[in-house]
Each structure stands twice: as structure tokens, then as C-alpha cells.
Amino acid sequence: MPADTALFEAERPALTALCYRMLGERAGAEDAVQDTWLRWERADHEAIENPSAWLRRTATRIAIDALRSARARRETYPGPWLPEPLVESESLGIEKRFELAQECELALLWAMERLSPTERAAFILREAFDAGYDEISAITGKSQAACRQMVSRAHRRLQENGPRFDAPPAEVADLLQRFIAAANALDHDAALSLFAPGAVAYTDGGKKARAALRPLIGPEDITQVLMAVMAKAAQATAQWSVEPSLANGAPAIVRRLDGRVDLVLTLAPSADGRIGWLYAMRNPDKLPG
């Protein structure tokens, strides 16, 4: 393998993780990394003093442009748009090319949607890749002082009315297990007690699977809809099962209908230890397999 190709391949996992964090989509991340490779292939390598920084700068700029285009599509998406999960379980294994990207929780990916593309890039570069403000400045075209302000502002916006990103896995797994037990038993009161007063549930079906076309807000709204869904599944002739898994490194539940993955469910706790944010992916285009 030529030295320049080997250098790029050594950087590919980090570039993939960066672009996935920017876009929240596997295919979009891979396309951005491929575009980075094409530019690297045409570049004058002898004139590049720091290849790693050059590749990261190029990939980030490509991802910023891709995110701006994606935002327009997401505005017309049928129902809530949710980031694509990276799912790992005994039966599904792990996507090696996205192994580094799995460190980014779905709740954080979703919350970053409220940032502008440039703010998102600055936040990701600083927090996930420990980039210096000089590098962030070169990538975004903003002064170092402005970049510091962007990162600080991003922190504040992500903490305002958002889910917890630091919940221990055991806490998430316990809430999931209790919720699934209540849902399977169709125990409305038990399920209701698990949600915080301001809880929000997002279900992404992409108009290809049954899902709510709006966010479900509050325990009553969430429980009523999800209990109806579970009751319908219990009456179906299809064989269904659930298995514990990881979605972006956090505990999750995978449901299968007739062996096919039909649902990925995970959550983030609220400050009082109840469910504050529920994520339900049903769009088959975003599910493993």
C-alpha cells in the first residue's frame, strides 16, 4: 500500500467518527469520508505539513456543507427526524468501521441538531477530538475568540432543557427494563410512573413504519400511545422478541418481528432519575440489517 494511502487509512476511523457526529447518518458520514479521500488523492502531499490536521479540516468542511443540505431535507421529513443508531448486540455484532463513532450517545446527537453547522463543528472538534482553538479557527474561518464563544454557547444550549448525557449505563438499563416490563404487562400506571413530568418521546418511522408524526410530550401522552402500540404488537400474528443491546454505546432494546429488527429503543434519564427522553427508531432504512 502506498504511504499516502496508508496514512489516509490510518486516519479513516477518526474521520468517520467525526463525520458521523456531524451528520448523524452512517451513509452521509461514509460519503463525506470518501469525498475527503478524493481530495487527499489530488492534493500536493509534499506541501502538507500536518496530514492529520489537513484531513480533519477537509472532512469537517465537507461535513458542514453536507449538514446544511441535510437540514433542508429534514425540514420536510415525515414526522420527527432522529439520528441513525449504531447498534451492537450478540446477534448483530459491531460495525467495525464505526467503532469510534459509537462513543457519541444518541441523546447528544439529537441535542446537537439545535446547533448551527459551524457551532456543531466547533463543539465536536473541541470536545471529542481535543482540537486547539487555532485549528478550529482555521477550519471555521472565525477568530479564536469567536470559536471559544461558540463552544461555550454550544455547551449552554445543549444543557438547556435537554436530556442527561452523563447517566451511568446501569441507570439507563434499569429504566429500560422497568419500562419494557410495564409495557409487556400493559400496566399503564407502572409505565406512567416511570416518566418525568416534562418527558418527551420521539419515534422515527420515516413514513415507512408506524410511528407518531409528532413528539409525544408528557407522561400521559407518551404512555397512552406506547401502550396502544404494545397492545397491537401483542395481538399480531408475527413472532416477536426483544433482546438487550447497545445503541451508540448506551443500553438499548432491540425488538424483532419474524426475525427482522423492527425497533431500537433507548432513553436518557431526567435529573430526578425518571425517563426524560425516549428514542424509538422504526424507520427500516436506519435499522440494522
Side-chain angles (χ1 to χ4, degrees):
M1 182 183 296
D4 294 333
T5 302
L7 192 154
F8 181 87
E9 291 303 323
E11 296 291 333
R12 184 186 289 273
L15 297 175
T16 301
L18 168 62
C19 292
Y20 172 75
R21 283 175 166 85
M22 282 292 298
L23 298 170
E25 300 173 345
R26 285 177 290 185
E30 290 185 319
D31 288 346
V33 173
Q34 181 62 20
D35 286 348
T36 304
W37 158 250
L38 293 175
R39 296 190 189 187
W40 170 252
E41 202 174 23
R42 297 192 298 265
D44 179 2
H45 298 149
E46 292 185 0
I48 297 173
E49 295 182 6
N50 187 333
S52 295
W54 188 96
L55 289 169
R56 187 157 57 188
R57 180 169 65 249
T58 302
T60 302
R61 288 174 175 170
I62 290 171
I64 287 173
D65 290 340
L67 183 57
R68 287 173 177 151
S69 298
R71 287 279 170 86
R73 295 194 304 273
R74 292 170 191 176
E75 288 177 0
T76 59
Y77 190 81
W81 181 92
L82 287 173
E84 192 170 356
L86 301 175
V87 183
E88 176 188 359
S89 71
E90 288 187 7
S91 63
L92 294 170
I94 184 173
E95 293 182 271
K96 288 296 183 183
R97 66 190 186 283
F98 282 97
E99 197 165 3
L100 289 179
Q102 298 210 14
E103 299 168 0
C104 187
E105 293 186 17
L106 288 166
L108 179 56
L109 271 181
W110 169 81
M112 283 195 292
E113 286 295 304
R114 70 185 72 173
L115 304 178
S116 73
T118 304
E119 284 177 330
R120 185 166 178 160
F123 175 80
I124 291 168
L125 288 166
R126 182 64 180 172
E127 298 304 313
F129 296 90
D130 198 27
Y133 285 107
D134 55 343
E135 181 180 352
I136 298 172
S137 174
I139 290 172
T140 62
K142 309 286 186 181
S143 68
Q144 292 190 40
C147 290
R148 286 190 177 88
Q149 290 179 346
M150 273 199 298
V151 172
S152 177
R153 185 166 60 245
H155 271 288
R156 289 196 304 271
R157 295 185 68 186
L158 292 175
Q159 291 168 358
E160 292 171 356
N161 302 317
R164 284 172 55 198
F165 310 123
D166 59 350
E171 183 180 356
V172 176
D174 177 65
L175 279 172
L176 270 174
Q177 290 166 5
R178 290 162 61 195
F179 173 73
I180 290 297
N184 286 341
L186 301 181
D187 188 336
H188 182 277
D189 290 340
L192 196 64
S193 69
L194 293 173
F195 289 96
V200 182
Y202 296 90
T203 60
D204 182 342
K207 225 170 184 179
K208 297 185 177 184
R210 184 183 291 273
L213 292 177
R214 60 174 178 82
L216 305 174
I217 301 173
E220 284 286 355
D221 194 16
I222 296 171
T223 302
Q224 182 177 353
V225 172
L226 293 180
M227 288 293 103
V229 170
M230 295 303 294
K232 189 175 182 65
Q235 296 168 1
T237 57
Q239 295 294 315
W240 63 283
S241 62
V242 297
E243 64 176 298
S245 64
L246 296 175
N248 292 49
I253 294 292
V254 166
R255 185 178 73 179
R256 293 177 181 271
L257 289 178
D258 288 336
R260 178 180 58 84
V261 175
D262 167 74
L263 168 72
V264 173
L265 182 74
T266 191
L267 57 83
S270 61
D272 65 2
R274 288 182 285 178
I275 299 173
W277 177 85
L278 194 70
Y279 165 107
M281 177 57 70
R282 298 211 62 214
N283 186 339
D285 293 341
K286 299 183 182 181
L287 293 174

